[in-house]
């Protein structure tokens, strides 16, 4: 049993039923770690394999595999780790049976209703270096939404994010209902005349905290009774300047 207490914040975390087996005959033999634990009343199993422990200790690279399995989440990684270059790369897969259940298990429940934010599956190629983190050849499945894409990020004083996402048919109606709306009810009427717009200045200083180059394409969109065909939008944010380009929007032929 392992317990961590944050006296200042008044919180604590407890890992129970921790049981780990470690096999390492010598530094030239593979390292194998096989264990299990319980966190927030859910059991998790963990397996870690390192083919060349000595190489990692000497600042070189070694094949590495990792699996974390449990009812709330399943993660697998098969690739390599380079302690000299401070990098890693390989196939990463994430399988979450229910996003809502995962959030509740992690003590961050989501206030949504309806049959949304359920199963989530993501897999792709992960590459990590001191200058860039990238996730390419990505496939995504969230509820009934399916898509492919890629994402890369460069840390720094002003982080930079580049990404592409292509989605198949996207039905927004379940999400409109889940987040407090009703797809069968028209939008609320505008405020009575005379209320006017606020004269308070809009603070857009946050646009200078990050740079981004993102592209989203969708084969079709359903929003209430509106059916939209193939659409594409590009978002570029650089030096505090935001440019949104809706380059394609298909409506009823």
């Amino acid at each position: 049993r392992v317990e961590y207490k944050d006296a200042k914040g008044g919180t604590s975390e407890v890992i129970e039923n921790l049981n780990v087996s470690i096999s390492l005959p010598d530094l030239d033999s593979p390292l194998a770690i096989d264990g299990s634990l319980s966190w927030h009343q859910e059991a998790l199993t963990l397996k870690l394999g390192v083919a060349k422990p000595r190489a990692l200790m000497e600042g070189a690279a070694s094949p590495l595999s990792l699996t974390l399995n449990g009812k709330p989440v399943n993660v697998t990684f098969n690739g390599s780790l380079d302690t000299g270059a401070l990098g890693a790369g390989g196939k990463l897969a994430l399988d979450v049976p229910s996003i809502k259940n995962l959030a509740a298990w992690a003590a961050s429940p989501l206030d949504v209703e309806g049959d949304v934010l359920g199963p989530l599956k993501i897999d792709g190629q992960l590459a990590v270096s001191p200058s860039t983190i990238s996730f390419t050849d990505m496939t995504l499945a969230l509820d009934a939404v399916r898509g492919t894409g890629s994402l890369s990020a460069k840390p720094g004083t002003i982080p930079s994010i580049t990404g592409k996402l292509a989605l198949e048919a996207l039905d927004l109606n379940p999400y409109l209902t889940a987040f407090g709306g009703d797809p069968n009810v028209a939008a609320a009427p505008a405020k009575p005349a005379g209320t006017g717009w606020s004269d308070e200045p809009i603070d857009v200083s946050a646009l200078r905290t990050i740079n981004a180059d993102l592209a989203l394409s969708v084969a079709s969109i359903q929003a209430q009774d509106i059916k939209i065909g193939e659409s594409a939008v590009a978002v570029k944010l650089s030096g505090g300047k935001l440019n949104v380009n809706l380059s394609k929007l298909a409506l009823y032929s």
Side-chain angles (χ1 to χ4, degrees):
R1 186 175 186 274
V2 179
E3 182 176 4
Y4 169 77
K5 290 185 177 181
D6 182 352
K8 184 176 181 179
T11 61
S12 64
E13 291 292 345
V14 179
I15 295 175
E16 298 179 306
N17 303 320
L18 180 62
N19 188 16
V20 179
S21 298
I22 302 175
S23 172
L24 181 61
D26 54 66
L27 292 180
D28 295 311
S29 300
L31 165 66
I33 298 178
D34 190 350
S36 61
L37 57 91
S38 177
W39 186 60
H40 289 189
Q41 289 75 53
E42 290 288 355
L44 299 172
T45 60
L46 171 68
K47 290 187 177 182
L48 173 66
V50 178
K52 301 177 180 179
R54 185 183 296 276
L56 294 186
M57 294 183 64
E58 296 177 349
S62 170
L64 181 145
S65 63
L66 172 68
T67 62
L68 177 67
N69 292 325
K71 185 178 179 181
V73 62
N74 298 280
V75 180
T76 61
F77 174 78
N78 286 288
S80 64
L81 174 65
D82 190 332
T83 55
L86 300 178
K91 179 79 170 181
L92 176 66
L94 173 68
D95 184 358
V96 178
S98 170
I99 295 178
K100 287 189 289 189
N101 291 345
L102 176 63
W105 175 65
S108 299
L110 302 174
D111 186 18
V112 294
E113 299 178 356
D115 190 19
V116 298
L117 299 185
L120 169 67
K121 290 185 178 181
I122 301 177
D123 64 70
Q125 291 291 328
L126 176 68
V128 180
S129 72
S131 61
T132 306
I133 300 173
S134 65
F135 194 53
T136 57
D137 298 329
M138 179 187 71
T139 61
L140 166 71
L142 170 61
D143 297 331
V145 180
R146 300 292 183 269
T148 59
S150 63
L151 182 68
S152 66
K154 294 183 178 181
T157 305
I158 301 179
S160 177
I161 298 177
T162 302
K164 292 182 179 180
L165 182 61
L167 299 178
E168 299 175 5
L170 179 59
D171 185 358
L172 295 177
N173 288 336
Y175 300 94
L176 295 176
T177 301
F179 287 93
D182 187 341
N184 298 314
V185 177
K191 292 182 178 180
T195 57
W197 290 95
S198 169
D199 292 329
E200 292 295 322
I202 299 174
D203 184 5
V204 294
S205 59
L207 295 179
R208 295 188 179 276
T209 61
I210 193 171
N211 293 326
D213 187 352
L214 306 173
L216 171 66
S217 62
V218 184
S220 65
I221 304 173
Q222 175 85 34
Q224 295 188 0
D225 291 331
I226 300 175
K227 295 181 179 180
I228 303 173
E230 188 175 1
S231 305
V233 61
V235 178
K236 291 186 178 181
L237 175 60
S238 179
K241 182 178 180 180
L242 176 65
N243 185 294
V244 180
N245 180 17
L246 182 62
S247 58
K248 181 181 291 186
L249 182 68
L251 286 167
Y252 303 99
S253 302

